[in-house]
Amino acid sequence: MQGLTLKQLRSLQAVVETGSMTEAAARHLLSPPAIHSQIRKLEDIVNARLVDKDTDTQGFVATQSGKVLIAAAERIDGILSWARDNLNALESGSAGHVRMGFESTGRYFAPRLVAILKQRCPSITVSFEVGNRDRIIGLLETERIDLAMMGRPPRPPETEATPIGEHPYSLFVPLRHVLARRPDYDPETLLRQPILAREPGSGTRILLDRFLDQIEGYGTPNVIELDSNETIKEAIIAGLGVGMLSLHVVRRELAEGLLVALNWPRLPVMRYWYLVSPLAAQISESTQRIRQSILDENGTFLPVGAARS
């Protein structure tokens, strides 16, 4: 692909993101013919059509070949972002910059872990981002983060995943709920309650669906989807239903007596936190040092009762 330039790739990304040559041109302070020329040069280089008109919206969309080049452009952006962060770190006197990603529930210990890492490795700058599973996988795929803390290792991309500690989940109700007053196993009463849940595909929802599948035959669950663990937690406290959540999310509410965990068979559901990194040959010395420092902590930064035995 001799002659391919970042400018051409940026033009392709802009056209597909905006669906318009005119809007892509405005984004890059160019004329529409200039953007069109960049796309045509790129198509000539790879000998493939890269964009088509959508029959419904009449906007430009990527062909399969275009999607391949956009994915490559996103990875290049990730590598350049890594270079920028590390150059800035070197300029400020640090030995390097390590970027971490945490799945949503990791927000309850991410700041504590980063503070520990800053103490253990003061010469390395550590930054972090919290997002849902799809977001963190996307950041790994485009090399915008160096390490990730996840409940399930992704595939793809190909990574190395090491378990670092337990991550228990259970069903929760408010203190005066009928299921809190009658603690014996009672799936029929459970299925008469609204079941508050995250979106399909999320880790929490997968666990909830598996648990509900095990009590099939007692009724049809009335599942109400909410957008975050915090919303589910507040809805449970308000008496709007029963929800499955990580014990990390509700440890304060349990201590204050606002919530009760159901002590039923198959509860809590045990998952594990994994430290996920690219394969060893692909990571920098700074990333390797931070990775080893996390493993040396042996899960002590996780909420009480969740550290690895």
Side-chain angles (χ1 to χ4, degrees):
M1 292 192 289
Q2 188 173 3
L4 185 149
T5 67
L6 282 174
K7 188 174 183 180
Q8 293 162 352
L9 292 176
R10 298 282 189 271
S11 296
L12 175 62
Q13 285 179 297
V15 168
V16 172
E17 288 172 4
T18 63
S20 164
M21 293 280 182
T22 301
E23 291 185 32
R27 176 181 291 188
H28 289 286
L29 302 178
L30 296 170
S31 67
I35 290 290
H36 185 264
S37 175
Q38 295 293 334
I39 300 298
R40 289 298 303 272
K41 288 178 182 177
L42 193 53
E43 289 180 331
D44 288 342
I45 290 169
V46 300
N47 193 30
R49 187 171 181 82
L50 301 177
V51 293
D52 279 326
K53 276 288 189 76
D54 184 272
T55 54
D56 294 326
T57 67
Q58 292 302 301
F60 286 101
V61 295
T63 64
Q64 289 302 314
S65 297
K67 290 177 181 178
V68 169
L69 283 184
I70 288 173
E74 290 173 346
R75 294 192 68 179
I76 291 170
D77 286 340
I79 293 169
L80 291 176
S81 174
W82 174 88
R84 180 201 62 214
D85 289 344
N86 278 273
L87 287 171
N88 289 339
L90 292 171
E91 185 177 355
S92 65
S94 297
H97 186 129
V98 177
R99 306 159 300 175
M100 296 192 64
F102 293 79
E103 279 190 345
S104 298
T105 308
R107 72 177 69 248
Y108 296 96
F109 62 84
R112 181 165 61 252
L113 174 58
V114 171
I116 291 171
L117 294 173
K118 287 180 180 292
Q119 290 182 336
R120 292 188 60 133
C121 303
S123 65
I124 300 173
T125 300
V126 180
S127 61
F128 72 97
E129 177 174 339
V130 178
N132 62 28
R133 177 176 174 81
D134 288 344
R135 170 67 177 166
I136 299 303
I137 291 175
L139 293 174
L140 281 169
E141 288 178 330
T142 56
E143 301 186 43
R144 292 179 180 273
I145 56 175
D146 306 296
L147 297 170
M149 204 71 71
M150 307 184 70
R152 286 183 295 136
R155 46 172 191 230
E158 187 177 6
T159 56
E160 182 176 350
T162 306
I164 60 167
E166 295 178 344
H167 189 189
Y169 282 73
S170 194
L171 287 172
F172 297 94
V173 295
L175 183 61
R176 293 179 174 78
H177 192 276
V178 60
L179 289 172
R181 297 196 304 269
R182 301 205 312 251
D184 293 338
Y185 183 63
D186 189 357
E188 190 171 356
T189 298
L190 170 66
L191 294 180
R192 288 201 295 266
Q193 317 299 313
I195 308 294
L196 309 175
R198 290 288 300 275
E199 70 281 0
S202 70
T204 306
R205 179 62 177 272
I206 290 171
L207 293 179
L208 174 64
D209 288 344
R210 288 174 181 170
F211 183 84
L212 294 176
D213 287 344
Q214 292 173 341
I215 57 175
E216 186 179 12
Y218 289 91
T220 301
N222 174 25
V223 176
I224 299 173
E225 292 180 13
L226 297 174
D227 63 355
S228 71
N229 291 331
E230 287 298 315
T231 304
I232 292 174
K233 179 170 65 177
E234 293 301 322
I236 297 171
I237 293 172
L240 298 182
V242 178
M244 177 170 282
L245 290 170
S246 159
L247 268 72
H248 297 351
V249 174
V250 299
R251 64 190 190 281
R252 292 177 182 172
E253 289 74 18
L254 288 173
E256 294 170 3
L258 296 174
L259 291 175
V260 175
L262 297 185
N263 185 23
W264 285 6
R266 298 189 293 274
L267 292 176
V269 177
M270 190 58 68
R271 295 180 76 198
Y272 294 86
W273 281 108
Y274 291 86
L275 177 60
V276 177
S277 62
L279 300 180
Q282 302 171 2
I283 66 177
S284 67
E285 181 181 348
S286 295
T287 300
Q288 182 57 46
R289 284 179 59 191
I290 291 296
R291 180 180 181 278
Q292 189 58 53
S293 293
I294 295 172
L295 296 179
D296 290 344
E297 285 296 314
N298 201 36
T300 56
F301 52 85
L302 294 172
V304 175
R308 183 172 55 184
S309 59

